[in-house]
Amino acid sequence: MSKFKVLSHGVALRAVAKFSIGLGLSATLLLSGCATQNIQAYQNSTLTLDMHEFFSGQIDGWGMFQGRNGEVKKRFYVDIDATHEGDNVIVLDEKFAWADGSKSQRIWRLIKQADGSWKGTAGDVIGEATGEVVGNTLHWNYLLELPFEDKTYKVNFDDWMYLVDKDVMLNRSVMKKFGVELGSVTLSMHRNNESNDSK
């Protein structure tokens, strides 16, 4: 075998090796990106989320939307009026005040199912949101119509809410389109005890 053939053969082997390593790394990153946490990990938490107890009366929320690179794109305050319709229905009237001066509203209707899970509907939610409560945690999945400039996009929300105190809940939502992360929303919700006690 000539030196050229040996050299070519060696270069080809190194190229294949690099390609294999690169493919392996890509697969690892892809799988880790697709991985999601297991809600059952919260079943032994010291706090227990009672949906009717927390979502009752006046709730104040402060949040932000971040792009994929972590840059804060929008900030907002949300005023939530939580009421009940019987034992299995919670209505959340959310009024948003955005940092740019604009305002918006979303009204959620959350219905507890016979198996303990939750379903939710809202004007800009396509179909139904599905939710599960374990320990101090609520996990929601839903498809939302999200307006941007002159278009409306259908975006998947992977929504996690954690009760960190009887009156405080932290919420993080990841937005995806075709499996690609677009950004995330972080929200801190506080039950307004003074307002709730006066009702």
Side-chain angles (χ1 to χ4, degrees), residues 42-55 112 133-138 161-169:
Y42 301 99
Q43 62 184 336
N44 296 321
S45 59
T46 54
L47 286 173
T48 300
L49 172 60
D50 182 318
M51 293 281 285
H52 280 83
E53 183 178 340
F54 184 84
F55 292 109
K112 188 174 183 179
V133 176
V134 174
N136 69 327
T137 303
L138 167 64
M161 300 184 181
Y162 309 93
L163 187 70
V164 296
D165 176 85
K166 67 182 182 66
D167 294 321
V168 178
M169 182 178 283

Side-chain angles (χ1 to χ4, degrees), residues 50-60 78-86 89-95 106-110 189-192 195-196 199:
D50 182 318
M51 293 281 285
H52 280 83
E53 183 178 340
F54 184 84
F55 292 109
S56 178
Q58 193 67 32
I59 300 169
D60 297 308
V78 58
D79 175 9
I80 304 172
D81 184 24
T83 57
H84 301 161
E85 295 178 0
V89 179
I90 299 172
V91 179
L92 305 178
D93 185 352
E94 302 175 335
K95 295 182 177 69
R106 176 181 297 118
I107 299 177
W108 278 101
R109 195 164 185 271
L110 313 181
M189 290 179 280
H190 302 243
R191 294 187 71 243
N192 189 330
S195 175
N196 294 336
K199 290 188 177 182

Side-chain angles (χ1 to χ4, degrees), residues 47-154:
L47 286 173
T48 300
L49 172 60
D50 182 318
M51 293 281 285
H52 280 83
E53 183 178 340
F54 184 84
F55 292 109
S56 178
Q58 193 67 32
I59 300 169
D60 297 308
W62 295 267
M64 61 183 180
F65 166 67
Q66 294 170 272
R68 277 184 296 180
N69 64 355
E71 181 183 352
V72 177
K73 301 289 188 181
K74 290 186 176 183
R75 293 176 291 110
F76 63 90
Y77 164 76
V78 58
D79 175 9
I80 304 172
D81 184 24
T83 57
H84 301 161
E85 295 178 0
D87 295 331
N88 296 320
V89 179
I90 299 172
V91 179
L92 305 178
D93 185 352
E94 302 175 335
K95 295 182 177 69
F96 294 86
W98 299 85
D100 62 4
S102 62
K103 297 184 183 300
S104 60
Q105 182 179 19
R106 176 181 297 118
I107 299 177
W108 278 101
R109 195 164 185 271
L110 313 181
I111 305 171
K112 188 174 183 179
Q113 306 300 297
D115 63 358
S117 65
W118 289 80
K119 289 190 177 179
T121 57
D124 52 358
V125 172
I126 300 170
E128 291 181 321
T130 57
E132 182 180 6
V133 176
V134 174
N136 69 327
T137 303
L138 167 64
H139 180 213
W140 279 112
N141 276 300
Y142 53 93
L143 187 63
L144 186 75
E145 290 184 328
L146 193 68
F148 182 74
E149 295 180 348
D150 59 343
K151 294 183 179 180
T152 299
Y153 297 91
K154 296 178 181 179

